[in-house]
Amino acid sequence: MKIADAIYTAAVFLQLDELCDGMNAADFSVQSPMETLGEEQGRELDMLLRCCRLVLRELSASDFPLRGKTTVHTDGDIVYARLPRGLTHVCGIEKGGKRVPFTEWFDRITVRAKGEVTVLYEEAPPDVTLADVSPYPTDTPSARLLAYGIAREYCLIGGMTDEASIWDGRFVTCAREEGAPRAEKRVRARAWR
């Protein structure tokens, strides 16, 4: 999913017609959007992009964690500075495909292993730009879910609490649908009379 698609969808939801027209213009470029948009539309786009970053952080901290792994050499201690910058939670450590006990400290992790180990972790999403693609390797969460969250944040920032409540309901429902395993998704059969 492209970040620009989610932001455009949110702009459509929010009925920001001038911004939508600007993003649909032939000379619009996601690499340098401010060059083709007016000052007001540029501010709106910047606000939507900030809202997108907030929603991505919220999703990664709840139902859609971003997972990663890295291999490091250890003598029993792994200093956090040697691990990826956006790390938020260490899920496990493996050596030779088997889990290894570890203890987390404020500045390091102690491991009952020496040599090459693989650190499995969750991370915060990077600050995205309009030209970026989603930090998630799959299409979940979708552009629609992200757009609902962007619309909610935009309305909250603008003081439109009633509208924010509506977008929040759609956001929560969509997140629940996309986060549920396939076996839990059921559609009731219609009764034909």
Side-chain angles (χ1 to χ4, degrees):
M1 168 199 47
K2 296 177 183 175
I3 297 300
D5 293 342
I7 288 179
Y8 179 80
T9 304
V12 170
F13 289 165
L14 293 165
Q15 299 176 357
L16 301 173
D17 297 331
E18 290 180 25
L19 178 59
C20 291
D21 290 344
M23 291 179 76
N24 282 328
D27 61 343
F28 180 77
S29 169
V30 293
Q31 280 77 23
S32 55
M34 299 307 175
E35 292 177 10
T36 57
L37 295 175
E39 186 178 331
E40 186 177 332
Q41 285 77 35
R43 281 195 309 267
E44 293 287 342
L45 183 63
D46 187 51
M47 179 63 72
L48 292 175
L49 187 57
R50 290 176 188 209
C51 293
C52 179
R53 292 174 184 150
L54 289 171
V55 174
L56 283 172
R57 285 187 188 108
E58 178 184 353
L59 290 171
S60 71
S62 60
D63 296 331
F64 300 93
L66 280 168
R67 293 191 171 97
K69 62 182 177 179
T70 187
T71 303
V72 294
H73 185 78
T74 182
D75 59 352
D77 284 338
I78 304 171
V79 179
Y80 283 119
R82 292 179 41 208
L83 297 174
R85 184 171 176 230
L87 182 138
T88 58
H89 173 70
V90 176
C91 302
I93 298 181
E94 296 179 347
K95 180 167 176 74
K98 295 183 180 180
R99 292 285 178 134
V100 178
F102 66 96
T103 305
E104 291 184 79
W105 302 92
F106 72 95
D107 63 340
R108 70 188 187 293
I109 304 168
T110 56
V111 184
R112 293 187 190 167
K114 295 189 186 299
E116 294 289 320
V117 296
T118 302
V119 180
L120 309 168
Y121 59 88
E122 291 178 2
E123 62 184 335
D127 280 344
V128 294
T129 65
L130 194 62
D132 290 335
V133 295
S134 170
Y136 291 91
T138 64
D139 287 336
T140 303
S142 66
R144 180 174 60 115
L145 172 60
L146 197 52
Y148 286 152
I150 293 168
R152 178 197 62 190
E153 293 298 324
Y154 181 88
C155 290
L156 279 173
I157 291 168
M160 300 175 279
T161 55
D162 291 340
E163 291 88 347
S165 176
I166 292 168
W167 292 116
D168 183 58
R170 292 176 182 170
F171 176 75
V172 168
T173 301
C174 189
R176 199 173 295 135
E177 288 173 2
E178 290 186 18
R182 289 214 182 268
E184 292 181 21
K185 295 179 184 175
R186 297 188 182 148
V187 177
R188 290 186 292 155
R190 289 185 174 177
W192 298 94
R193 296 179 188 190

